[in-house]
Amino acid sequence: MREVNCSSSSQLTDAFPVCVASSAVMGLSFGLGFFGNAAVLWVLVRRSKENSFTLGLMLSLAVSDLLTLLPLPLWIWAILHDWTFGSVLCKSISYVEYWCIYCSTLCVSLMSFQRYMQVLHPEKWAKLGDRGQKGLLAGIWILSGVLASYAPVQREVGCELYGFQYCYQQFRNDAEKIVTLVLEMLQFVICFFLLAYFYCRLHRGVNESPFFSSNRMTKLVTRIVLAFFMFYVAVPIVNVMIIVAVSLQNESLLERFELAGKMARALTFLNSCVNPFLYTFSFRGLQVSSLSTVDT
């Protein structure tokens, strides 16, 4: 990261239009997603006595999405007025947010596997038992915490590349930056592959069964895969561009692509808004149409 003098206001920088656009997207995400996930969380907590793995998975998804959205007002303020909350809060919020984002994507991936096994291979899924299912839920949170461990190490408060004080991701060298970007791309590729694979297999199996509504399943599969792809696909594309700019040592391209990265990451918060509607309400309708499936 090159040395720059912090300007008195981020409005003086060329990055200001992107900052306004990304903060607007985050504001929309917070306004819609906070209340949506809070409502879903309230409904799921009231039904927690049912001891259902599906409900437990949705509960984890709602909690992780809610915790992802909670710090957005701080990020919006920091984007428009500089980061004034100190280094400890910078590192803490960054870790919790990365932790919850990883948890959310893992929950979505596990949900596709769970639906596939539960609907098409219920006997095998039943062998997992209550203890095994609780272990899977706990494993998601533990694995997410491990995957997010790099976030507080790389986060620092200082003069950003665009001339204002911010809680930014600082890399010691280009190699560390490239490795981090590649790992983030792998997360998207693996999660999207699992989503597409298990839901396509599920759709094919359901389509061949007279006990399920293939039309409802087709709509659900399409919405889930398209939503995840639409809100996350910009991140790996921009990461590739940043890697190219770093490899070419082109500072002008790097600045442009990193600005694009800010916008791409802001769009991922919209996924936390649609999750309550896609998963909770869609799966409720799916369960009504598949009464022969036993949820344990």
Side-chain angles (χ1 to χ4, degrees), residues 98 101-102 105 150 169 180-189 228-243 257-258 260-271:
Y98 273 74
I101 289 174
Y102 278 119
T105 54
Y150 68 93
Q169 198 171 17
T180 302
L181 294 174
V182 169
L183 289 177
E184 290 179 355
M185 286 190 295
L186 284 176
Q187 176 206 359
F188 168 81
V189 171
F228 184 84
F229 181 82
M230 183 170 55
F231 292 124
Y232 275 92
V233 68
V235 174
I237 291 176
V238 172
N239 282 1
V240 171
M241 294 178 178
I242 293 175
I243 291 173
F257 293 154
E258 286 189 341
K262 287 181 179 290
M263 196 65 208
R265 282 167 173 76
L267 290 174
T268 62
F269 291 112
L270 290 173
N271 193 60

Side-chain angles (χ1 to χ4, degrees), residues 160-180:
E160 241 256 10
L161 185 63
Y162 313 107
F164 56 94
Q165 182 168 287
Y166 194 63
C167 171
Y168 66 94
Q169 198 171 17
Q170 185 181 41
F171 303 99
R172 291 171 294 183
N173 50 57
D174 290 343
E176 180 184 343
K177 186 170 190 171
I178 291 175
V179 169
T180 302

Side-chain angles (χ1 to χ4, degrees), residues 186-203:
L186 284 176
Q187 176 206 359
F188 168 81
V189 171
I190 292 173
C191 289
F192 181 74
F193 173 78
L194 291 175
L195 267 176
Y197 175 78
F198 285 116
Y199 276 130
C200 285
R201 291 290 301 272
L202 178 59
H203 169 61

Side-chain angles (χ1 to χ4, degrees), residues 210-224:
F211 300 106
F212 300 95
S213 170
S214 60
N215 184 50
R216 186 187 298 270
M217 177 62 68
T218 300
K219 291 180 179 180
L220 176 57
V221 170
T222 303
R223 289 168 184 168
I224 289 171

Side-chain angles (χ1 to χ4, degrees), residues 23-36:
S23 59
V25 171
M26 287 190 284
L28 177 64
S29 301
F30 180 80
L32 296 177
F34 176 81
F35 295 105

Side-chain angles (χ1 to χ4, degrees), residues 60-75:
S60 291
L61 184 61
V63 170
S64 60
D65 283 341
L66 194 60
L67 291 176
T68 299
L69 296 171
L70 274 178
L72 288 188
L74 289 180
W75 291 122

